[in-house]
Amino acid sequence: MRRTILIAAPIEKVWAAVTEPEQISHWFGATSFDGAVGGASASVGALGTITWPERDAVPVRIEAIDAPRLVSCRWCNPCLGEPVPTEIDEAHSTVFTFTLEPLPDGTRLTVVETGFETTSDPSADLERHRGGWDGEGDASASALAGLLPVSRQAIAKHLAVLQEVGLVEPVRVGREVRYRVVGASLDATARRLEALGVEWDRRLAAIKQVAEGL
């Protein structure tokens, strides 16, 4: 999930809007944000929590920070109705990263959120290539490597991850193993990503309002 917005404010004010606890609570839709994200005390590994009405506090941890251009946080981001862990769960958390780029008339703010694995987003990759998969039907790793600008080894690794999270299933055809998209799982994932995108659009609009008002 990736979203970008242009803000008519200098990078320092946008940085304050996305890192200072008193500003975060305005755009995250939360009642409070507790943690050392902004200021001199901000560092990799710093912990905090986000609290919403009638919900348990959600743990947050800084994964990377390079003031005033980048901050990345891991947080437990369960679906509504799911229990919230009291500590960061590496296997069931997402990472959102803010990148700030100064422009002559303001700042370009980009947020990218990835889930399950911190180095790849297989469900989003699969959704982007869904049309090709639907057109080809079941396909082997070798066949997919012929369609995509990556190696067969890379395709095999991605397929293993997609199979693990239930988005594809292997089907043996003679001596060949082909992979089939699990439609119900992919549709659910696509709906989840779309909902996350809408929520981040709302948050970015709020950040813009906060930064331009500082």
Side-chain angles (χ1 to χ4, degrees):
M1 194 289 305
R2 180 188 181 94
R3 291 290 191 274
T4 298
I5 192 170
L6 299 179
I7 299 176
I11 191 171
E12 292 79 14
K13 290 187 177 182
V14 179
W15 179 256
V18 300
T19 60
E20 293 182 359
E22 63 270 25
Q23 306 301 337
I24 293 174
S25 61
H26 293 312
W27 56 263
F28 230 130
T31 55
S32 66
F33 183 91
D34 177 29
V37 176
S41 60
S43 61
V44 173
L47 297 173
T49 58
I50 303 174
T51 305
W52 284 271
E54 301 179 357
R55 291 187 64 183
D56 295 332
V58 176
V60 182
R61 184 181 69 210
I62 296 179
E63 299 290 283
I65 188 166
D66 180 19
R69 294 178 179 270
L70 180 145
V71 62
S72 182
C73 296
R74 179 180 292 275
W75 67 319
C76 295
N77 184 17
C79 297
L80 187 63
E82 292 182 353
V84 179
T86 57
E87 297 180 353
I88 294 290
D89 182 353
E90 299 286 347
H92 299 90
S93 58
T94 61
V95 175
F96 62 91
T97 301
F98 285 116
T99 303
L100 292 72
E101 179 186 355
L103 301 173
D105 55 350
T107 305
R108 178 183 290 114
L109 176 64
T110 299
V111 60
V112 176
E113 184 168 8
T114 57
F116 301 107
E117 295 79 30
T118 59
T119 56
S120 64
D121 192 348
S123 58
D125 289 340
L126 182 57
E127 176 63 15
R128 283 195 294 271
H129 295 297
R130 183 177 182 180
W133 281 57
D134 288 345
E136 294 294 326
D138 301 346
S140 66
S142 296
L144 290 171
L147 296 172
L148 303 173
V150 291
S151 68
R152 185 189 181 286
Q153 290 77 12
I155 290 291
K157 290 180 180 179
H158 281 290
L159 287 171
V161 174
L162 293 171
Q163 182 180 345
E164 183 178 350
V165 299
L167 292 175
V168 301
E169 60 183 5
V171 178
R172 181 166 290 279
V173 181
R175 299 176 60 183
E176 186 177 57
V177 176
R178 298 181 181 180
Y179 291 85
R180 175 181 300 162
V181 174
V182 180
S185 297
L186 180 58
D187 289 342
T189 301
R191 287 194 298 270
R192 172 67 170 153
L193 290 173
E194 179 61 24
L196 285 174
V198 171
E199 183 64 15
W200 275 113
D201 285 339
R202 182 196 64 76
R203 290 170 182 157
L204 288 178
I207 292 173
K208 175 180 172 69
Q209 185 176 15
V210 170
E212 292 180 352
L214 288 177

